[in-house]
Coordinates of all heavy atoms in Angstrom, one line a residue:
M47 N 0.9 -1.2 0.0 CA 0.0 0.0 0.0 C 0.9 1.2 0.0 O 1.9 1.3 0.8 CB -0.9 0.0 1.2 CG -1.9 1.1 1.2 SD -3.3 1.0 2.4 CE -2.6 0.4 3.9
P48 N 0.6 2.2 -0.8 CA 1.4 3.4 -0.9 C 1.3 4.2 0.4 O 0.3 4.1 1.2 CB 0.8 4.2 -2.0 CG -0.6 3.7 -2.2 CD -0.6 2.3 -1.7
D49 N 2.3 5.0 0.7 CA 2.3 5.8 1.9 C 1.5 7.1 1.6 O 2.1 8.0 1.0 CB 3.7 6.2 2.3 CG 3.8 7.0 3.6 OD1 2.8 6.9 4.4 OD2 4.7 7.7 3.9
I50 N 0.3 7.1 2.0 CA -0.6 8.3 1.6 C -0.9 9.1 2.9 O -1.2 8.5 3.9 CB -2.0 7.8 1.1 CG1 -1.7 6.9 -0.2 CG2 -2.9 8.9 0.8 CD1 -3.0 6.3 -0.7
R51 N -0.6 10.4 2.8 CA -0.9 11.3 3.9 C -2.0 12.3 3.5 O -1.8 12.9 2.4 CB 0.3 12.0 4.3 CG 1.5 11.1 4.6 CD 2.2 11.4 5.9 NE 3.3 10.5 6.1 CZ 3.3 9.5 6.9 NH1 2.3 9.3 7.7 NH2 4.3 8.7 7.0
I52 N -3.0 12.3 4.2 CA -4.1 13.3 3.9 C -4.2 14.3 5.1 O -4.0 13.9 6.2 CB -5.4 12.7 3.6 CG1 -5.9 11.8 4.8 CG2 -5.3 11.8 2.3 CD1 -7.3 11.3 4.6
K53 N -4.6 15.5 4.7 CA -4.9 16.5 5.7 C -6.2 16.1 6.5 O -7.1 15.6 5.9 CB -5.1 17.8 5.0 CG -5.4 19.0 5.9 CD -5.5 20.2 5.1 CE -6.2 21.3 5.9 NZ -6.6 22.4 5.0
R54 N -6.1 16.2 7.8 CA -7.3 15.9 8.6 C -8.4 16.9 8.3 O -8.2 18.1 8.3 CB -6.9 16.0 10.1 CG -8.0 15.5 11.0 CD -7.5 15.6 12.4 NE -8.7 15.3 13.3 CZ -8.6 14.5 14.3 NH1 -7.5 13.9 14.6 NH2 -9.7 14.3 15.0
L55 N -9.6 16.3 8.0 CA -10.7 17.2 7.7 C -11.8 17.1 8.8 O -12.1 16.0 9.3 CB -11.3 16.7 6.4 CG -10.4 16.7 5.2 CD1 -11.1 16.1 4.0 CD2 -10.1 18.2 4.8
K56 N -12.3 18.2 9.1 CA -13.4 18.2 10.1 C -14.7 17.7 9.5 O -15.0 18.0 8.3 CB -13.7 19.7 10.5 CG -14.7 19.8 11.6 CD -14.8 21.3 12.1 CE -15.7 21.4 13.2 NZ -15.7 22.7 13.8
C57 N -15.4 16.8 10.2 CA -16.6 16.2 9.7 C -17.8 17.0 10.2 O -18.2 16.9 11.3 CB -16.7 14.8 10.1 SG -18.2 14.0 9.5
Y58 N -18.3 17.9 9.3 CA -19.4 18.8 9.7 C -20.7 18.0 9.9 O -21.5 18.3 10.7 CB -19.6 19.9 8.6 CG -18.4 20.8 8.6 CD1 -17.5 20.8 7.6 CD2 -18.3 21.8 9.6 CE1 -16.4 21.6 7.6 CE2 -17.2 22.7 9.6 CZ -16.3 22.6 8.6 OH -15.2 23.4 8.6
A59 N -20.9 16.9 9.1 CA -22.1 16.1 9.2 C -22.1 15.5 10.6 O -23.2 15.5 11.3 CB -22.1 15.1 8.2
M60 N -21.0 14.9 11.0 CA -21.0 14.3 12.4 C -21.2 15.3 13.5 O -21.9 15.1 14.5 CB -19.7 13.5 12.5 CG -19.7 12.7 13.8 SD -20.9 11.3 13.8 CE -20.1 10.1 12.7
E61 N -20.5 16.5 13.3 CA -20.7 17.5 14.3 C -22.2 17.9 14.4 O -22.7 18.1 15.5 CB -19.9 18.8 13.8 CG -19.9 19.9 14.9 CD -19.0 21.0 14.4 OE1 -19.3 21.6 13.4 OE2 -18.0 21.3 15.1
S62 N -22.9 18.0 13.3 CA -24.3 18.4 13.3 C -25.1 17.3 14.0 O -26.1 17.6 14.7 CB -24.8 18.6 11.9 OG -24.2 19.7 11.4
L63 N -24.8 16.0 13.7 CA -25.5 14.9 14.4 C -25.3 15.0 15.9 O -26.3 14.7 16.7 CB -25.0 13.6 13.8 CG -25.4 13.3 12.4 CD1 -24.8 12.0 11.9 CD2 -27.0 13.2 12.2
I64 N -24.1 15.3 16.3 CA -23.9 15.4 17.8 C -24.6 16.6 18.4 O -25.2 16.5 19.4 CB -22.4 15.5 18.0 CG1 -21.7 14.1 17.7 CG2 -22.1 15.8 19.5 CD1 -20.2 14.1 17.6
E65 N -24.7 17.7 17.7 CA -25.4 18.9 18.1 C -26.9 18.6 18.2 O -27.6 19.0 19.1 CB -25.2 20.0 17.1 CG -23.9 20.8 17.3 CD -23.7 21.9 16.3 OE1 -24.8 22.3 15.7 OE2 -22.6 22.3 16.1
E66 N -27.4 17.8 17.3 CA -28.8 17.4 17.3 C -29.1 16.6 18.5 O -30.2 16.8 19.2 CB -29.1 16.5 16.0 CG -30.5 16.3 15.7 CD -30.8 15.6 14.4 OE1 -30.3 16.0 13.4 OE2 -31.4 14.5 14.5
G67 N -28.2 15.7 18.9 CA -28.4 14.9 20.1 C -28.4 15.8 21.4 O -29.2 15.7 22.3
Q68 N -27.5 16.8 21.3 CA -27.5 17.8 22.5 C -28.7 18.6 22.6 O -29.3 18.8 23.7 CB -26.2 18.7 22.3 CG -25.9 19.5 23.5 CD -25.5 18.7 24.7 OE1 -24.8 17.7 24.6 NE2 -26.1 19.1 25.8
E69 N -29.3 19.0 21.4 CA -30.5 19.8 21.4 C -31.7 18.9 22.0 O -32.6 19.4 22.6 CB -30.9 20.2 20.0 CG -30.0 21.4 19.6 CD -30.3 21.9 18.2 OE1 -31.3 21.5 17.6 OE2 -29.4 22.6 17.6
L70 N -31.7 17.6 21.6 CA -32.7 16.7 22.1 C -32.6 16.6 23.6 O -33.7 16.6 24.3 CB -32.5 15.3 21.5 CG -33.5 14.3 21.8 CD1 -34.5 14.2 20.7 CD2 -33.0 13.0 22.2
I71 N -31.5 16.6 24.2 CA -31.3 16.5 25.6 C -31.9 17.8 26.2 O -32.6 17.7 27.2 CB -29.8 16.3 26.0 CG1 -29.4 14.9 25.6 CG2 -29.6 16.6 27.5 CD1 -27.9 14.7 25.7
E72 N -31.6 18.9 25.6 CA -32.1 20.2 26.2 C -33.6 20.4 26.0 O -34.2 21.1 26.8 CB -31.4 21.4 25.4 CG -29.9 21.4 25.8 CD -29.1 22.3 24.9 OE1 -29.7 23.0 24.1 OE2 -27.8 22.2 24.9
A73 N -34.2 19.7 25.0 CA -35.6 19.9 24.7 C -36.5 18.9 25.5 O -37.7 19.0 25.4 CB -35.8 19.8 23.2
T74 N -35.9 17.9 26.1 CA -36.7 16.9 26.8 C -36.2 16.7 28.3 O -35.2 17.1 28.7 CB -36.5 15.5 26.1 OG1 -35.1 15.2 26.1 CG2 -37.0 15.5 24.7
E75 N -37.1 16.1 29.0 CA -36.8 15.8 30.4 C -36.2 14.4 30.5 O -36.4 13.6 29.6 CB -38.1 15.9 31.3 CG -38.6 17.3 31.3 CD -39.9 17.4 32.2 OE1 -40.2 16.4 32.9 OE2 -40.6 18.4 32.1
K76 N -35.5 14.2 31.6 CA -34.9 12.9 31.8 C -36.0 11.8 31.8 O -37.0 12.0 32.5 CB -34.1 12.9 33.1 CG -33.3 11.7 33.4 CD -32.5 11.9 34.7 CE -31.7 10.6 35.0 NZ -31.0 10.7 36.2
G77 N -35.8 10.8 31.1 CA -36.8 9.7 31.1 C -36.8 8.9 29.8 O -35.9 9.1 28.9
A78 N -37.9 8.1 29.6 CA -37.9 7.2 28.4 C -38.0 8.0 27.1 O -37.5 7.5 26.1 CB -39.1 6.3 28.6
V79 N -38.7 9.1 27.1 CA -38.9 9.8 25.8 C -37.5 10.3 25.3 O -37.1 10.2 24.2 CB -39.9 11.0 25.9 CG1 -39.8 11.9 24.7 CG2 -41.3 10.4 26.1
R80 N -36.8 10.9 26.3 CA -35.4 11.3 26.0 C -34.5 10.1 25.5 O -33.8 10.2 24.6 CB -34.8 12.0 27.2 CG -33.3 12.4 26.9 CD -32.6 13.0 28.1 NE -33.1 14.3 28.4 CZ -32.7 15.0 29.4 NH1 -31.9 14.5 30.3 NH2 -33.1 16.3 29.6
D81 N -34.7 9.0 26.3 CA -33.8 7.9 26.0 C -34.1 7.4 24.5 O -33.2 7.0 23.8 CB -34.1 6.7 27.0 CG -33.6 7.1 28.4 OD1 -32.7 8.0 28.5 OD2 -33.9 6.4 29.3
A82 N -35.4 7.3 24.2 CA -35.8 6.9 22.9 C -35.2 7.8 21.8 O -34.7 7.4 20.8 CB -37.3 6.8 22.7
G83 N -35.3 9.1 22.1 CA -34.8 10.1 21.1 C -33.3 9.9 21.0 O -32.7 10.0 19.9
L84 N -32.6 9.7 22.1 CA -31.1 9.6 22.1 C -30.7 8.3 21.4 O -29.7 8.3 20.7 CB -30.6 9.6 23.5 CG -30.5 11.0 24.1 CD1 -30.1 10.9 25.6 CD2 -29.7 11.9 23.3
I85 N -31.5 7.2 21.5 CA -31.2 6.0 20.7 C -31.3 6.3 19.2 O -30.4 5.9 18.5 CB -32.1 4.9 21.1 CG1 -31.7 4.4 22.5 CG2 -32.0 3.7 20.1 CD1 -32.7 3.4 23.1
G86 N -32.4 7.0 18.9 CA -32.5 7.4 17.4 C -31.3 8.3 17.0 O -30.8 8.1 15.9
A87 N -30.9 9.2 17.8 CA -29.8 10.1 17.5 C -28.5 9.3 17.3 O -27.7 9.6 16.4 CB -29.7 11.2 18.6
A88 N -28.3 8.4 18.2 CA -27.2 7.5 18.2 C -27.2 6.7 16.9 O -26.1 6.4 16.3 CB -27.1 6.6 19.4
Q89 N -28.4 6.2 16.5 CA -28.5 5.4 15.3 C -28.2 6.2 14.0 O -27.6 5.7 13.1 CB -29.8 4.7 15.2 CG -29.9 3.6 16.2 CD -31.1 2.7 16.0 OE1 -32.2 3.1 16.3 NE2 -30.9 1.5 15.4
K90 N -28.5 7.5 14.1 CA -28.1 8.4 13.0 C -26.6 8.4 12.8 O -26.1 8.4 11.7 CB -28.7 9.8 13.1 CG -30.1 9.9 12.9 CD -30.6 11.4 13.1 CE -32.0 11.6 12.9 NZ -32.4 13.0 13.0
V91 N -25.9 8.5 13.9 CA -24.5 8.5 13.9 C -24.0 7.2 13.4 O -23.1 7.1 12.5 CB -23.9 8.8 15.3 CG1 -22.4 8.5 15.4 CG2 -24.2 10.2 15.8
E92 N -24.5 6.1 13.9 CA -24.1 4.8 13.4 C -24.3 4.6 11.9 O -23.5 4.1 11.2 CB -24.8 3.6 14.1 CG -24.5 3.6 15.6 CD -23.1 3.5 15.9 OE1 -22.3 2.9 15.2 OE2 -22.7 4.2 16.9
H93 N -25.5 5.1 11.4 CA -25.8 5.0 10.0 C -24.8 5.8 9.1 O -24.4 5.4 8.1 CB -27.2 5.4 9.7 CG -28.2 4.5 10.3 ND1 -29.6 4.8 10.3 CD2 -28.1 3.4 11.0 CE1 -30.2 3.8 10.9 NE2 -29.3 3.0 11.4
Y94 N -24.4 7.0 9.6 CA -23.4 7.8 8.9 C -22.1 7.0 8.9 O -21.4 7.0 7.9 CB -23.3 9.1 9.6 CG -22.4 10.1 8.9 CD1 -22.9 10.8 7.8 CD2 -21.1 10.3 9.2 CE1 -22.1 11.7 7.1 CE2 -20.3 11.1 8.5 CZ -20.8 11.8 7.4 OH -20.0 12.7 6.7
E95 N -21.7 6.4 10.0 CA -20.5 5.7 10.1 C -20.5 4.5 9.1 O -19.6 4.1 8.4 CB -20.2 5.2 11.5 CG -19.9 6.3 12.4 CD -19.8 5.9 13.9 OE1 -20.5 5.0 14.3 OE2 -18.9 6.5 14.6
I96 N -21.7 3.8 9.1 CA -21.9 2.6 8.2 C -21.7 3.1 6.7 O -21.0 2.4 6.0 CB -23.2 2.0 8.4 CG1 -23.2 1.2 9.8 CG2 -23.6 1.0 7.3 CD1 -24.6 0.8 10.3
A97 N -22.3 4.2 6.4 CA -22.1 4.7 5.0 C -20.7 5.0 4.7 O -20.1 4.7 3.6 CB -23.0 6.0 4.8
T98 N -20.0 5.7 5.7 CA -18.6 6.1 5.5 C -17.7 4.8 5.4 O -16.9 4.7 4.4 CB -18.1 7.0 6.6 OG1 -19.0 8.1 6.7 CG2 -16.7 7.4 6.4
Y99 N -17.8 3.9 6.3 CA -16.9 2.8 6.3 C -17.3 1.9 5.1 O -16.4 1.2 4.5 CB -17.0 2.0 7.6 CG -16.2 2.7 8.7 CD1 -16.9 3.2 9.8 CD2 -14.8 2.9 8.6 CE1 -16.2 3.9 10.8 CE2 -14.1 3.5 9.6 CZ -14.8 4.1 10.7 OH -14.1 4.7 11.7
G100 N -18.5 1.8 4.7 CA -18.9 1.0 3.6 C -18.3 1.5 2.3 O -17.8 0.8 1.5
T101 N -18.3 2.8 2.1 CA -17.7 3.5 1.0 C -16.2 3.2 0.9 O -15.6 2.8 -0.1 CB -18.0 5.0 1.0 OG1 -19.4 5.2 0.9 CG2 -17.3 5.7 -0.2
L102 N -15.5 3.5 2.1 CA -14.1 3.3 2.2 C -13.7 1.8 1.9 O -12.7 1.5 1.3 CB -13.6 3.7 3.5 CG -13.7 5.3 3.7 CD1 -13.3 5.6 5.2 CD2 -12.8 6.0 2.8
C103 N -14.5 0.9 2.4 CA -14.3 -0.5 2.3 C -14.3 -0.9 0.8 O -13.4 -1.6 0.3 CB -15.3 -1.3 3.1 SG -14.9 -3.0 3.3
S104 N -15.3 -0.4 0.1 CA -15.4 -0.7 -1.4 C -14.3 -0.1 -2.1 O -13.7 -0.7 -3.0 CB -16.8 -0.1 -1.9 OG -17.8 -0.8 -1.4
L105 N -13.9 1.2 -1.8 CA -12.8 1.8 -2.5 C -11.5 1.0 -2.3 O -10.7 0.7 -3.2 CB -12.6 3.2 -2.0 CG -13.5 4.3 -2.5 CD1 -13.4 5.6 -1.8 CD2 -13.3 4.5 -4.0
A106 N -11.2 0.6 -1.0 CA -10.0 -0.1 -0.7 C -10.0 -1.5 -1.5 O -9.0 -1.9 -2.0 CB -9.9 -0.4 0.8
E107 N -11.2 -2.1 -1.6 CA -11.2 -3.4 -2.3 C -11.0 -3.2 -3.8 O -10.2 -3.9 -4.4 CB -12.6 -4.0 -2.1 CG -12.8 -5.4 -2.7 CD -14.1 -6.0 -2.4 OE1 -15.1 -5.3 -2.1 OE2 -14.2 -7.2 -2.4
Q108 N -11.6 -2.2 -4.4 CA -11.4 -1.9 -5.8 C -10.0 -1.5 -6.1 O -9.5 -1.8 -7.2 CB -12.4 -0.9 -6.3 CG -13.8 -1.4 -6.3 CD -14.8 -0.4 -6.9 OE1 -14.6 0.8 -6.7 NE2 -15.9 -0.9 -7.4
L109 N -9.3 -0.9 -5.2 CA -7.9 -0.4 -5.4 C -6.9 -1.5 -5.1 O -5.7 -1.4 -5.2 CB -7.6 0.8 -4.6 CG -8.4 2.1 -5.1 CD1 -8.2 3.2 -4.1 CD2 -8.0 2.5 -6.5
G110 N -7.4 -2.6 -4.5 CA -6.5 -3.7 -4.2 C -5.8 -3.6 -2.9 O -4.8 -4.3 -2.7
Y111 N -6.3 -2.7 -2.0 CA -5.6 -2.6 -0.7 C -6.3 -3.5 0.3 O -7.1 -3.2 1.1 CB -5.8 -1.1 -0.2 CG -5.2 -0.1 -1.1 CD1 -5.7 1.2 -1.1 CD2 -4.1 -0.4 -1.9 CE1 -5.1 2.2 -1.9 CE2 -3.5 0.6 -2.7 CZ -4.1 1.9 -2.7 OH -3.5 2.8 -3.5
T112 N -5.9 -4.8 0.2 CA -6.5 -5.9 0.9 C -6.5 -5.7 2.4 O -7.5 -5.9 3.1 CB -5.9 -7.2 0.5 OG1 -5.9 -7.3 -0.9 CG2 -6.6 -8.4 1.2
E113 N -5.3 -5.3 2.9 CA -5.2 -5.1 4.4 C -6.1 -4.0 4.9 O -6.8 -4.2 5.9 CB -3.7 -4.8 4.7 CG -3.5 -4.8 6.2 CD -2.0 -4.4 6.6 OE1 -1.2 -4.5 5.7 OE2 -1.8 -4.1 7.8
A114 N -6.1 -2.9 4.2 CA -7.0 -1.8 4.6 C -8.4 -2.2 4.5 O -9.2 -1.9 5.3 CB -6.7 -0.6 3.7
K115 N -8.7 -2.9 3.4 CA -10.1 -3.4 3.2 C -10.6 -4.2 4.3 O -11.7 -4.1 4.8 CB -10.2 -4.1 1.8 CG -11.6 -4.5 1.5 CD -11.8 -6.0 1.8 CE -13.3 -6.4 1.5 NZ -13.6 -7.7 2.0
N116 N -9.7 -5.1 4.8 CA -10.1 -6.0 5.9 C -10.3 -5.3 7.2 O -11.2 -5.6 7.9 CB -9.0 -7.1 6.1 CG -9.0 -8.1 4.9 OD1 -10.0 -8.2 4.2 ND2 -7.9 -8.8 4.7
I117 N -9.4 -4.3 7.5 CA -9.6 -3.5 8.7 C -10.9 -2.7 8.6 O -11.7 -2.6 9.6 CB -8.4 -2.6 8.9 CG1 -7.1 -3.4 9.2 CG2 -8.6 -1.5 10.0 CD1 -5.8 -2.6 9.1
L118 N -11.1 -2.1 7.4 CA -12.4 -1.3 7.3 C -13.6 -2.2 7.4 O -14.6 -1.8 7.9 CB -12.3 -0.6 5.9 CG -11.3 0.6 5.9 CD1 -11.0 1.0 4.4 CD2 -11.8 1.8 6.7
A119 N -13.5 -3.4 6.8 CA -14.7 -4.3 6.9 C -14.9 -4.7 8.3 O -16.1 -4.9 8.7 CB -14.4 -5.6 6.1
E120 N -13.9 -4.9 9.1 CA -14.1 -5.2 10.5 C -14.8 -4.1 11.3 O -15.7 -4.3 12.1 CB -12.7 -5.6 11.2 CG -12.9 -6.0 12.6 CD -13.6 -7.4 12.7 OE1 -13.6 -8.2 11.8 OE2 -14.3 -7.5 13.8
T121 N -14.3 -2.9 11.0 CA -14.9 -1.7 11.6 C -16.4 -1.5 11.2 O -17.3 -1.2 12.0 CB -14.1 -0.4 11.3 OG1 -12.8 -0.6 11.7 CG2 -14.7 0.8 12.0
L122 N -16.6 -1.8 9.9 CA -18.0 -1.7 9.4 C -18.9 -2.7 10.1 O -20.1 -2.4 10.5 CB -18.0 -2.0 7.9 CG -19.3 -2.0 7.1 CD1 -20.1 -0.7 7.3 CD2 -19.1 -2.3 5.7
K123 N -18.4 -3.9 10.3 CA -19.1 -4.9 11.0 C -19.5 -4.5 12.5 O -20.6 -4.7 12.9 CB -18.3 -6.2 11.1 CG -19.0 -7.4 11.6 CD -18.0 -8.6 11.4 CE -18.4 -9.7 12.3 NZ -17.4 -10.8 12.3
E124 N -18.5 -3.8 13.1 CA -18.7 -3.3 14.5 C -19.8 -2.2 14.5 O -20.7 -2.2 15.4 CB -17.4 -2.8 15.1 CG -16.4 -3.8 15.3 CD -15.0 -3.2 15.7 OE1 -14.9 -2.0 15.8 OE2 -14.1 -4.0 15.8
E125 N -19.8 -1.4 13.5 CA -20.8 -0.3 13.4 C -22.2 -0.9 13.2 O -23.2 -0.4 13.8 CB -20.5 0.7 12.3 CG -19.1 1.4 12.4 CD -18.9 2.2 13.7 OE1 -19.9 2.5 14.4 OE2 -17.8 2.6 13.9
K126 N -22.3 -1.9 12.4 CA -23.6 -2.5 12.1 C -24.1 -3.2 13.4 O -25.3 -3.2 13.7 CB -23.5 -3.5 10.9 CG -23.4 -2.8 9.6 CD -23.2 -3.8 8.5 CE -23.1 -3.1 7.1 NZ -23.0 -4.1 6.0
S127 N -23.2 -3.9 14.1 CA -23.5 -4.5 15.3 C -24.0 -3.6 16.4 O -25.0 -3.8 17.0 CB -22.3 -5.3 15.9 OG -22.6 -5.8 17.1
T128 N -23.4 -2.4 16.5 CA -23.9 -1.4 17.4 C -25.3 -0.9 17.0 O -26.1 -0.8 17.9 CB -22.9 -0.2 17.4 OG1 -21.6 -0.7 17.8 CG2 -23.3 0.9 18.4
D129 N -25.5 -0.7 15.7 CA -26.8 -0.3 15.3 C -27.9 -1.3 15.6 O -28.9 -1.0 16.1 CB -26.7 0.0 13.8 CG -28.1 0.5 13.2 OD1 -28.6 1.4 13.8 OD2 -28.5 0.0 12.2
D130 N -27.5 -2.6 15.4 CA -28.5 -3.7 15.7 C -28.8 -3.7 17.2 O -30.0 -3.9 17.6 CB -27.9 -5.0 15.3 CG -27.9 -5.2 13.8 OD1 -28.6 -4.5 13.1 OD2 -27.1 -6.1 13.3
K131 N -27.8 -3.5 18.0 CA -28.0 -3.5 19.5 C -28.9 -2.3 19.9 O -29.8 -2.4 20.8 CB -26.7 -3.4 20.2 CG -25.9 -4.7 20.2 CD -24.5 -4.5 20.8 CE -23.7 -5.8 20.5 NZ -22.3 -5.6 20.8
L132 N -28.7 -1.2 19.3 CA -29.5 0.0 19.6 C -31.0 -0.2 19.2 O -31.9 0.1 19.9 CB -29.0 1.3 18.9 CG -27.7 1.8 19.5 CD1 -27.1 2.8 18.6 CD2 -28.0 2.4 20.9
T133 N -31.2 -0.9 18.0 CA -32.5 -1.2 17.5 C -33.2 -2.2 18.5 O -34.3 -2.0 18.9 CB -32.5 -1.9 16.1 OG1 -31.9 -1.0 15.2 CG2 -33.8 -2.4 15.7
T134 N -32.5 -3.2 19.0 CA -33.0 -4.1 20.0 C -33.4 -3.4 21.2 O -34.5 -3.6 21.8 CB -32.0 -5.2 20.2 OG1 -31.7 -5.9 19.0 CG2 -32.5 -6.2 21.3
L135 N -32.5 -2.6 21.7 CA -32.8 -1.8 22.9 C -34.0 -1.0 22.8 O -34.9 -0.9 23.7 CB -31.6 -0.9 23.3 CG -31.6 -0.1 24.5 CD1 -31.7 -1.0 25.8 CD2 -30.4 0.8 24.6
A136 N -34.2 -0.3 21.7 CA -35.3 0.6 21.4 C -36.6 -0.3 21.4 O -37.6 0.0 22.0 CB -35.2 1.4 20.2
K137 N -36.6 -1.3 20.6 CA -37.8 -2.1 20.3 C -38.2 -2.9 21.6 O -39.4 -3.1 21.8 CB -37.6 -3.1 19.2 CG -37.6 -2.5 17.8 CD -37.5 -3.5 16.8 CE -37.8 -3.0 15.4 NZ -37.6 -4.0 14.3
E138 N -37.3 -3.4 22.3 CA -37.6 -4.3 23.4 C -37.8 -3.7 24.7 O -38.2 -4.3 25.7 CB -36.6 -5.5 23.5 CG -36.6 -6.4 22.3 CD -35.6 -7.5 22.4 OE1 -34.9 -7.6 23.4 OE2 -35.5 -8.3 21.4
N139 N -37.4 -2.4 24.8 CA -37.5 -1.7 26.1 C -37.9 -0.3 26.0 O -39.0 0.1 26.4 CB -36.1 -1.8 26.7 CG -36.1 -1.4 28.2 OD1 -36.9 -0.7 28.6 ND2 -35.1 -1.9 28.9
V140 N -37.1 0.6 25.5 CA -37.3 2.0 25.6 C -38.5 2.6 24.9 O -39.2 3.4 25.5 CB -36.0 2.7 25.1 CG1 -36.2 4.2 25.2 CG2 -34.8 2.3 26.0
N141 N -38.8 2.1 23.7 CA -39.9 2.7 22.9 C -41.2 2.4 23.6 O -42.1 3.3 23.6 CB -39.9 2.1 21.5 CG -38.8 2.7 20.6 OD1 -38.1 3.6 21.1 ND2 -38.6 2.2 19.4
K142 N -41.4 1.3 24.2 CA -42.7 1.0 24.9 C -42.9 1.9 26.0 O -43.9 2.4 26.3 CB -42.6 -0.5 25.4 CG -42.8 -1.5 24.3 CD -42.6 -2.9 24.8 CE -42.5 -3.9 23.6 NZ -42.0 -5.2 24.0
K143 N -41.8 2.2 26.8 CA -41.9 3.1 27.9 C -42.1 4.5 27.5 O -42.9 5.3 28.1 CB -40.6 3.0 28.8 CG -40.4 1.7 29.5 CD -39.1 1.7 30.2 CE -38.8 0.3 30.9 NZ -37.5 0.2 31.4
A144 N -41.5 4.9 26.4 CA -41.7 6.2 25.8 C -43.1 6.5 25.3 O -43.6 7.6 25.4 CB -40.7 6.5 24.7
G145 N -43.7 5.4 24.8 CA -45.0 5.5 24.2 C -46.1 5.8 25.3 O -47.1 6.5 25.1
Ligands
FE2_362 FE1 -20.2 3.8 15.9

């Protein structure tokens, strides 16, 4: 793999998603409704990460960077697993209490 150095870029999308979660905290009281909203906010972050790692994984594969592709695929798997756990938490517990 070539030695590639890129300038660190600020991720405005992720910053906005985090701000959205903060606003949700400020707009709700402590309890199940806030928890349900925060799970949704966290899932937005996970989905953004899944899109990002999925894209990078495909690029690495197409460019023949097998080691990078494998690392990215492992991270992608972790992000999907986190999203699944959040879905389970919401469906089996928090959403019912929030309703
Ligand atoms: Fe994540």
Side-chain angles (χ1 to χ4, degrees):
M47 182 164 45
D49 184 24
I50 301 171
R51 305 226 182 257
I52 59 170
K53 182 179 162 190
R54 187 179 172 133
L55 300 173
K56 184 174 186 173
C57 181
Y58 293 102
M60 189 63 81
E61 184 178 62
S62 293
L63 290 172
I64 292 167
E65 281 177 20
E66 193 175 302
Q68 192 61 43
E69 286 179 16
L70 185 102
I71 291 169
E72 293 166 10
T74 56
E75 294 181 12
K76 188 175 179 181
V79 170
R80 177 187 284 175
D81 292 345
L84 286 175
I85 289 171
Q89 286 191 284
K90 286 183 181 181
V91 170
E92 296 307 322
H93 295 174
Y94 187 80
E95 291 172 326
I96 289 166
T98 302
Y99 286 113
T101 299
L102 292 173
C103 195
S104 292
L105 283 170
E107 183 175 27
Q108 288 183 331
L109 295 171
Y111 299 153
T112 306
E113 186 181 347
K115 185 258 176 192
N116 290 339
I117 293 168
L118 290 163
E120 186 63 32
T121 303
L122 178 60
K123 189 174 158 186
E124 291 170 6
E125 301 300 347
K126 288 179 178 177
S127 174
T128 301
D129 183 48
D130 289 343
K131 288 174 186 168
L132 287 166
T133 296
T134 300
L135 181 64
K137 283 185 171 178
E138 294 183 2
N139 189 336
V140 178
N141 286 354
K142 289 176 190 163
K143 291 177 185 169

